[in-house]
């Protein structure tokens, strides 16, 4: 069976302890590969390798780092089909989505940051007194050193590279951990890094569990910053451990995102995009619009059309071109989602469509599939509407006024993303500005421009990724003040 090994100091190697964990294919429920079960000894080796690589890598001209990163881009694009297939097998997402979204975005992340790092500028300020220039200040932005990147299972290579690319582009060296649930494409990428000639130790990928690999990354004194994407509970734990060491932290956490549909919306567009926002990637995107609020005059019509349209989604083998909704990433997550459907029922919810496991005959008979589920008749403040389910489950509710829907939308502990559908320009801007959310989409969903800051408010996290924000995160600013008169 294929073994997924660590990438440390430029080599692929097993964990020091020599143990492996099972890696499952969600669409079949079967073990299909083995993943290195690393621990703090592997992290120690990785940190030493990253420290050794830092002086030369950080001193390398940005243009030369650009060349290396662009070779990685070309190799990801060359292997697009193989990577997309691997992502699908490992995660349960459809191959079509991996081909269209995940893998192209991994290449874009490297391309974007390879280029951006060449344009990162330092500021300077003149200090004047009595009309004369007294001092010249300039700000040096220096790469932090060794940094840690920890990413989740839902968009495996997409989010892994979203952290690694800015870190290495700006001159840091990295110890990174992909989710143990979806390690395959990170492993494939480590081979591409070797092929691309990335100097040994610049990127070190250590596989294994959160407690045995993630926690030692966070606890390591020589790792200067942690860029983490994952659940809010894990984020809390990381913040608690990292804060006493004064580490820089970027935490991209959970969401429970409102999708607000006013009666004056472009109806067909809102209908189509609401379905995509709720069920793309089996609803396993932190940005998914899982709470749908529809203005009363169009509520019944929208609800019925939405339910009919969701009923047309085909749940099936992620390999099939005509599958819309693939498998749930793990048995544990499948059970969690089903428990929330049961909770919704207890809370008085009415399941309009879905609500059950989907049984797919053939190769995927043992896989973890759930029918896309729409639930109504729930109060805005019940647990189903406040806790992150992170699966193909959306609730739908009518509202009467702008004030009311804003209060409901903002009532959760999360504040990651929100969507607003209206043709009323003033209302669109007014509502967008009052939503407690790091990202607001108006008349669209998941339209991303990599130059824009990305991140959440409240329990959805701290810090911003994207654009120059990520490059700044991985640098320390130093002010140099030179007296000139
Ligand atoms: P987790 O928080 O469980 O895991 C995220 C990563 O952290 C994994 O690599 C995990 O390892 C690791 N980890 C687990 N425990 C620790 C620990 N104590 N110390 C350090 N690292 C640890 O999240 P999921 O993988 O379940 O991902 C789903 C969550 O991610 C959802 O809440 C979703 O909203 C959020 N998310 C947020 C995004 C955003 O941009 N805000 C984007 C995408 C997802 P292992 O997998 O091996 O346990």
């Amino acid at each position: 069976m294929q073994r997924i090994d660590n990438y440390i100091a430029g080599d692929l190697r097993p964990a020091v302890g020599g143990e492996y964990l099972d890696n499952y294919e969600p669409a079949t429920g079967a073990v299909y590969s083995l993943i290195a079960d690393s621990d703090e000894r592997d992290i120690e080796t990785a940190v030493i390798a990253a420290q050794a690589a830092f002086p030369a890598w950080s001193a390398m001209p940005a243009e030369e780092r650009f060349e290396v990163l662009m070779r990685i881009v070309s190799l990801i694009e060359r292997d697009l089909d193989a990577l997309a297939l691997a992502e699908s097998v490992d995660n349960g997402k459809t191959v079509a989505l991996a081909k269209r979204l995940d893998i192209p975005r991994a290449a874009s992340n490297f391309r974007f940051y390879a280029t951006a790092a060449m344009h990162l500028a330092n500021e300077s300020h003149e200090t004047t007194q009595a009309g004369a220039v007294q001092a010249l200040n300039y700000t040096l932005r220096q790469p932090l050193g060794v940094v840690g990147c920890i990413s989740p299972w839902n968009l495996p290579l997409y989010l892994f590279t979203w952290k690694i690319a800015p870190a290495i582009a700006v001159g840091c060296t990295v110890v990174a951990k992909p989710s143990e649930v979806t390690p395959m494409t990170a492993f494939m990428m480590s081979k591409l890094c070797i092929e691309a000639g990335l100097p040994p130790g610049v990127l070190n990928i250590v596989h294994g569990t959160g407690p045995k690999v993630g926690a030692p990354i966070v606890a390591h004194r020589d790792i200067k910053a942690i860029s983490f994407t994952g659940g809010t509970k894990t984020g809390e734990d990381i913040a608690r451990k990292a804060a006493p060491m004064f580490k820089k932290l970027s935490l991209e956490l959970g969401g429970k995102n409102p999708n607000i549909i006013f009666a004056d919306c472009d109806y067909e567009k809102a209908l189509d995009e609401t379905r995509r926002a709720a069920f793309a990637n089996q609803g396993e995107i932190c940005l998914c619009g899982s709470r749908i609020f529809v203005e009363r005059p169009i509520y019944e019509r929208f609800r019925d059309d939405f339910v009919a349209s969701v009923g047309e989604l085909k749940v099936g083998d992620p390999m099939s071109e005509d599958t819309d909704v693939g498998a749930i990433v793990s048995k544990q997550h499948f059970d969690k989602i089903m428990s929330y459907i049961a909770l919704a029922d207890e809370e008085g919810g009415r399941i309009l469509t879905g609500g059950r496991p989907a049984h797919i005959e053939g190769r995927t008979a043992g896989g973890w599939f759930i029918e896309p589920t729409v639930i109504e008749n729930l109060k805005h403040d019940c647990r189903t509407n406040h806790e992150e389910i992170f699966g193909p489950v959306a609730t739908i509710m009518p509202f009467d006024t702008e004030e009311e829907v804003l209060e409901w939308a903002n009532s959760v502990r999360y504040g990651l993303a929100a969507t607003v559908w209206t043709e009323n320009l003033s209302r669109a801007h007014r509502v967008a500005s009052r939503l407690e959310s790091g990202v607001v989409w108006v008349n669209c969903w998941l339209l991303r421009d990599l130059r824009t800051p990305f991140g959440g408010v409240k329990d959805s996290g701290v810090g911003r990724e994207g654009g120059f924000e990520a490059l700044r995160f991985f640098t320390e600013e130093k002010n140099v003040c030179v007296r000139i008169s």
Side-chain angles (χ1 to χ4, degrees):
M1 195 171 284
Q2 187 179 6
R3 293 182 169 199
I4 293 174
D5 283 323
N6 293 334
Y7 169 53
I8 297 177
D11 294 328
L12 299 175
R13 51 175 91 172
V16 174
E19 299 294 319
Y20 286 88
L21 302 161
D22 289 339
N23 189 29
Y24 292 84
E25 176 177 3
T28 62
V31 175
Y32 83 100
S33 58
L34 298 172
I35 161 175
D37 183 12
S38 315
D39 60 31
E40 74 276 0
R41 291 170 294 174
D42 301 282
I43 294 301
E44 190 55 41
T45 320
V47 172
I48 291 168
Q51 282 174 320
F54 180 71
W57 181 250
S58 56
M60 189 184 272
E63 291 91 330
E64 287 177 33
R65 289 201 294 266
F66 166 86
E67 296 292 346
V68 180
L69 297 189
M70 289 306 288
R71 285 203 292 277
I72 299 176
V73 172
S74 305
L75 294 173
I76 292 175
E77 287 176 340
R78 181 196 69 188
D79 290 357
L80 174 88
D81 288 346
L83 286 162
L85 183 63
E87 202 72 295
S88 166
V89 170
D90 214 23
N91 170 276
K93 68 177 68 216
T94 64
V95 180
L97 185 70
K99 246 187 222 178
R100 200 171 59 239
L101 176 74
D102 294 70
I103 309 305
R105 174 60 190 272
S108 298
N109 289 340
F110 275 110
R111 183 184 292 108
F112 180 83
Y113 280 111
T115 316
M118 291 201 295
H119 299 273
L120 189 64
N122 297 326
E123 298 97 41
S124 75
H125 306 274
E126 282 181 346
T127 305
T128 51
Q129 203 172 45
V133 178
Q134 186 189 27
L136 186 64
N137 293 274
Y138 59 90
T139 308
L140 285 179
R141 278 182 206 288
Q142 297 172 315
L144 290 176
V146 180
V147 297
C149 298
I150 304 176
S151 59
W153 48 256
N154 63 325
L155 299 167
L157 197 62
Y158 171 135
L159 289 173
F160 195 57
T161 53
W162 182 230
K163 300 184 169 305
I164 289 166
I168 62 179
V170 86
C172 290
T173 54
V174 174
V175 177
K177 176 198 158 353
S179 170
E180 103 208 41
V181 184
T182 53
M184 185 57 90
T185 48
F187 174 61
M188 291 168 77
M189 196 186 79
S190 54
K191 294 185 192 167
L192 299 184
C193 290
I194 295 171
E195 194 180 340
L198 186 70
V202 169
L203 172 61
N204 303 275
I205 302 177
V206 185
H207 294 279
T209 66
K212 282 171 69 180
V213 174
I217 292 177
V218 175
H220 203 294
R221 291 225 158 248
D222 295 329
I223 294 183
K224 308 287 184 209
I226 302 291
S227 175
F228 170 81
T229 299
T232 294
K233 203 164 175 309
T234 318
E236 277 169 24
D237 187 55
I238 290 175
R240 203 175 298 116
K241 289 183 177 135
M245 288 182 278
F246 309 109
K247 286 192 189 203
K248 262 183 131 175
L249 277 182
S250 170
L251 302 174
E252 300 293 343
L253 310 176
K256 186 75 181 175
N257 310 305
N259 177 0
I260 302 172
I261 299 158
F262 286 97
D264 66 357
C265 67
D266 180 327
Y267 188 85
E268 293 303 328
K269 266 195 204 148
L271 194 61
D272 278 358
E273 285 290 273
T274 295
R275 188 177 79 161
R276 195 170 73 88
F279 300 109
N281 204 46
Q282 298 71 245
E284 296 167 338
I285 299 183
C286 53
L287 307 165
C288 275
S290 54
R291 293 183 295 148
I292 305 166
F293 299 104
V294 186
E295 203 173 10
R296 182 108 37 205
I298 62 163
Y299 178 73
E300 285 180 11
R301 177 178 163 220
F302 189 93
R303 177 199 61 195
D304 295 348
D305 289 346
F306 182 61
V307 166
S309 148
V310 171
E312 286 167 10
L313 288 171
K314 183 164 180 270
V315 186
D317 188 340
M319 305 280 159
S320 304
E321 282 297 325
D322 63 345
T323 294
D324 300 303
V325 179
I328 301 302
V329 74
S330 66
K331 175 70 168 69
Q332 192 190 14
H333 195 54
F334 170 93
D335 289 341
K336 176 186 157 186
I337 297 168
M338 291 308 301
S339 78
Y340 270 105
I341 295 174
L343 173 71
D345 185 46
E346 281 166 34
E347 290 185 318
R350 189 161 48 240
I351 294 172
L352 301 175
T353 183
R356 291 167 307 187
H359 294 290
I360 318 290
E361 292 309 317
R363 183 185 94 81
T364 52
W368 307 305
F369 297 89
I370 296 179
E371 296 172 346
T373 301
V374 181
I375 307 171
E376 77 164 353
N377 202 38
L378 284 169
K379 295 225 159 53
H380 78 91
D381 57 356
C382 67
R383 276 184 59 205
T384 310
N385 269 327
H386 272 226
E387 296 177 18
E388 189 184 38
I389 301 174
F390 213 54
V393 180
T395 62
I396 188 161
M397 286 152 278
F399 69 89
D400 290 301
T401 67
E402 197 177 300
E403 271 315 303
E404 177 180 66
V405 78
L406 273 165
E407 188 198 321
W408 293 356
N410 289 338
S411 66
V412 296
R413 63 196 280 237
Y414 297 107
L416 188 56
T419 307
V420 182
W421 291 93
T422 178
E423 293 294 297
N424 178 328
L425 188 64
S426 309
R427 173 154 58 200
H429 292 296
R430 190 167 61 236
V431 171
S433 80
R434 291 185 61 196
L435 279 164
E436 294 169 1
S437 184
V439 183
V440 180
W441 280 293
V442 178
N443 297 335
C444 59
W445 178 73
L446 198 48
L447 195 60
R448 284 282 295 129
D449 183 323
L450 302 191
R451 292 169 300 183
T452 59
F454 176 86
V457 298
K458 305 200 290 192
D459 288 9
S460 291
V462 289
R464 290 291 177 271
E465 297 184 327
F468 286 113
E469 304 286 337
L471 294 178
R472 293 196 187 103
F473 174 76
F474 288 115
T475 57
E476 196 75 85
E477 292 168 5
K478 179 189 289 177
N479 180 61
V480 180
C481 175
V482 184
R483 182 161 195 137
I484 58 174
S485 68

